[in-house]
């Protein structure tokens, strides 16, 4: 079945949303940093801890993760810090 939305693999990283993990005291090294980025097509890329397997037995009803998807977790403070960079619709 064709998906209604899929990743545009030609999209480029446009801007960081919010603050870096280091600015929020959530990381001390550069290769261990959660990130939130807006792509040039308006989609959002999230770098976080892959917890797909560890959460798979406790997903709420209605939430499923396809074989080509991953559940990632970032510090809540990072998302709240990005709020001013997220446009109201």
């Amino acid at each position: 079945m064709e998906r209604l939305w899929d990743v545009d693999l030609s999209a480029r990283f446009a801007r960081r949303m919010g603050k870096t993990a280091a600015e929020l005291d959530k990381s001390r090294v550069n290769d261990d940093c959660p990130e939130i980025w807006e792509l040039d097509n308006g989609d959002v890329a999230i770098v976080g801890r892959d917890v797909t397997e560890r959460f798979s037995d406790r997903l709420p009803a209605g939430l499923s993760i396809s074989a080509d998807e991953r559940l990632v977790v970032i510090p809540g403070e990072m998302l709240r810090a990005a709020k001013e960079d997220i446009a109201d619709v």
Side-chain angles (χ1 to χ4, degrees):
M1 176 184 356
E2 186 176 331
R3 292 179 169 177
L4 296 178
W5 174 86
D6 208 344
V7 177
D8 176 359
L9 298 176
S10 68
R12 297 191 173 277
F13 289 87
R15 66 183 178 110
R16 174 181 283 112
M17 299 174 76
K19 298 179 180 181
T20 67
E23 289 174 303
L24 298 170
D25 293 324
K26 299 297 181 192
S27 180
R28 293 182 302 275
V29 294
N30 289 334
D31 62 350
D32 183 26
C33 296
E35 294 273 356
I36 305 171
W37 280 79
E38 183 176 14
L39 303 179
D40 62 1
N41 67 355
D43 288 346
V44 176
I46 307 249
V47 177
R49 298 280 190 274
D50 179 356
V51 294
T52 308
E53 297 301 320
R54 288 178 258 173
F55 276 70
S56 64
D57 63 342
R58 51 189 152 136
L59 296 177
L63 175 60
S64 61
I65 301 171
S66 294
D68 64 344
E69 295 176 327
R70 290 285 170 261
L71 174 65
V72 299
V73 173
I74 62 171
E77 184 179 4
M78 289 197 80
L79 184 60
R80 289 186 290 278
K83 185 176 181 178
E84 66 185 44
D85 292 329
I86 301 170
D88 292 329
V89 178

